[in-house]
Amino acid sequence: MGRAVTVAACALNQWALDFEGNLKRIVRSIGIAKTKGARYRLGPELEICGYGCLDHYYESDTLLHSFQVLAKLLESPATQDIICDVGMPVLHRNVRYNCRVIFLNKKILLIRPKMSLANTGNYRELRWFTPWTKARHVEEYFLPRIIQELTGQETVPFGDAVLATLDTCLGAEICEELWAPNSPHIEMGLDGVEIFANSSGSHHVLRKAHTRVDLVNSATAKNGGIYILANQKGCDGDRLYYDGCAMISMNGETVAQGSQFSLDDVEVLVATLDLEDVRSYRAEISSRNLAASKVNPYPRVKVNFALSSSGDVAVPTCMPIQWRHHSPEEEISLGPACWLWDYLRRSKQAGFLLPLSGGIDSSATACIVYSMCHQVCLAVKNGNADVLADVCRIVNDENYVPEDPREFCKRVFTTCYMASENSSQDTCNRAKLLAEQIGSYHINLNIDAAVKAIVGIFSMVTGRTPLFSVFGGSKRENLALQNVQARIRMVLAYLFAQLTLWTRGMPGGLLVLGSANVDESLRGYLTKYDCSSADINPIGGISKTDLKNFIQYCIENFHLTALRSIMSAPPTAELEPLVDGQVAQTDEVDMGMTYAELSIYGKLRKIAKAGPYSMFCKLINMWKEICTPREVASKVKHFFRMYSLNRHKMTTLTPSYHAENYSPDDNRFDLRPFLYNTTWSWQFRCIDKEVSKLEKKEEISLVEDTD
């Protein structure tokens, strides 16, 4: 009697609508799984077309090409003698579903539609798909002719069913169903399903991985069983980075862990497990067995195939392991770096250009690029031929092999310090030293001539010359003069990105990197169309607090000593005149709030879903030791005034790596108006009433204490 089953979970770097590339990666993963002895192979959600097709799901082409790829898979020798579980969209009775297609030896066994769709945050699955709501119900699905000709099948089962092989029972979940309160694995497990297979399209968020791992382990802790999770990895065409973390768990413990961040396009995780361990684990849970005796049975699709083999008693099985989580600083170092690499190679550009100011944000962005260079060199050293081929194409040298991250950085990364008369020598020196330590090609330039030319045109036309505040100008003049400097830097950044390699006799152009953090975007502390406007921004979803911790991580792990002085310097835009050669302008004074406060406002606004009144109510308790209710009211009002006044800037926000759940990105994550009544008259009046009540209560309390 067979008892040891070998299963495979895959993490694939799929790309939306790249049907040819997606097919190659799927076939490659199946081949690796078979080589490692697997009899069942699970891939990521919607892996055939790529998860991030968005409104392309509406197109019949996407459905057609997905079936064409499925046909290639069915006829491939690689897919023989292994149960293959792939993801693709399917139209059934004119309704589009997000499906798993499970097949074996040129026969489709089951098409299993997703029952709980992800529709929060970055997910909009209900826009494109309909959930299958018929629990434990199966219908006939009429196959398209290109599939009928290969399989000899006219119809196949479509719906909520499980597979009964010769030795076990296997059921499918799809991503969100694991996170739902009534996950299918609960009822399936009670009905005797021993192996649960979850194909996911789950993206990275700082500090999220442990939640996913805990959910997988808890899925089998109460009910017993084997849980397999496959996930997409990489940047498949937008702001998200899918972070792999393929895993296999049994009876509440992890037995195999895949990488969260890597440059490998195909990663296959294989584990051999003893079915008898599941059965003995379940046998002693009386409450589970009582519930199982009353469960409604699932339709079973019989499969004349075994995941085990006879005489496998001596086959070694996997033992539980301790999951190794990355620290948030490691996540920042690795996640955005991998995202940048995918964007660079898939955009077919020759590198990056970053306006490097000598401050924390642009320095953190530079460090992420340097980390990318480290990852590339490490991948090549470990024999990753795909990465080496991409490197040779990017640097236009087919014989090049990257070995030193600093040397590779010189080839693909240009930094540019854009000085003005308001810039200090300190920031210039910091930028130059950091560029030397990471190895970037560094440019120093001065923008004063361009600023004077622009202001000169205005003066010539109007007969008026604006002045900074320190020279007697108004706030409007002061702000306008700051914005001119910031916007000229953006124009120059794009000019140098297009032509710098040309001046060096090298082909190609550079992607411009932005470096506005999530807190500044939330507050609107940036100039519209300044250096925050770029092609992509690797830190746009990361808080200032996390970036500071990341800088410290880089000092310790990359030995970038130039970062020490950057860490200790107060954040400043350096857009106003110096006083005695020293910076007089600082970010937190300009904003009227600290970065620590901004993070709190951001989390309350988005994650806690607090408007002005609710935020005030929460903060009077959170800050009761440091602020009076009136001071809290003043801070909350100031934040909401500035947030609403500047919300229009989010409509032009540079596409940023999504890393925080309080991101203000209005592309599809944080949907808000961008024209507000910035007085918030009703809301602020409610706050004022509460402040008055609290102050009266405090007065009465003081009088009673005196008596």
Side-chain angles (χ1 to χ4, degrees), residues 189 193-194 196 223-224 278-285 288-289:
V193 172
E194 295 177 324
F196 312 103
N223 208 355
V278 174
R279 293 159 187 164
S280 59
Y281 184 89
R282 287 177 169 178
E284 65 176 359
I285 308 174
R288 180 251 166 216
N289 297 334

Side-chain angles (χ1 to χ4, degrees), residues 232-269:
Q232 187 161 307
K233 65 190 300 189
C235 165
D236 83 336
D238 67 3
R239 295 158 172 79
L240 307 180
Y241 178 81
Y242 299 91
D243 58 340
C245 285
M247 66 177 291
I248 301 171
S249 171
M250 184 172 72
N251 298 341
E253 295 184 292
T254 304
V255 295
Q257 172 187 354
S259 64
Q260 186 175 11
F261 309 106
S262 84
L263 302 187
D264 296 331
D265 281 348
V266 176
E267 182 180 359
V268 180
L269 196 65

Side-chain angles (χ1 to χ4, degrees), residues 416-540:
C416 184
Y417 182 81
M418 303 186 193
S420 75
E421 61 186 7
N422 302 320
S423 303
S424 67
Q425 191 60 44
D426 288 341
T427 52
C428 178
N429 293 340
R430 291 180 201 128
K432 183 181 178 183
L433 184 57
L434 179 59
E436 288 173 358
Q437 291 186 357
I438 64 175
S440 66
Y441 181 82
H442 190 61
I443 300 169
N444 268 312
L445 61 87
N446 191 290
I447 66 170
D448 285 339
V451 173
K452 287 174 182 173
I454 295 292
V455 175
I457 292 172
F458 177 84
S459 299
M460 183 174 63
V461 172
T462 65
R464 302 286 299 275
T465 300
L467 299 173
F468 282 106
S469 296
V470 294
F471 302 132
S474 65
K475 284 185 177 180
R476 275 196 294 175
E477 294 170 69
N478 196 66
L479 185 58
L481 289 173
Q482 292 183 65
N483 289 343
V484 167
Q485 298 168 73
R487 289 178 176 134
I488 282 173
R489 286 186 170 121
M490 182 205 72
V491 173
L492 287 171
Y494 274 98
L495 176 63
F496 276 80
Q498 286 183 289
L499 295 179
T500 293
L501 294 183
W502 169 70
T503 65
R504 297 166 63 188
M506 299 163 66
L510 303 174
L511 292 164
V512 179
L513 295 181
S515 57
N517 64 62
V518 70
D519 298 324
E520 289 173 345
S521 298
L522 174 67
R523 161 63 172 73
Y525 185 64
L526 52 95
T527 299
K528 203 172 186 179
Y529 306 116
D530 68 349
C531 277
S532 65
S533 297
D535 292 313
I536 49 175
N537 179 358
I539 69 163

Side-chain angles (χ1 to χ4, degrees), residues 42-46 85 100 173-175 197-201 228-230:
L42 174 69
E45 184 175 10
L46 294 166
D85 192 336
R100 306 298 305 170
E173 284 191 329
I174 306 177
C175 199
N198 186 310
S199 58
S200 286
I228 311 166
L229 183 135

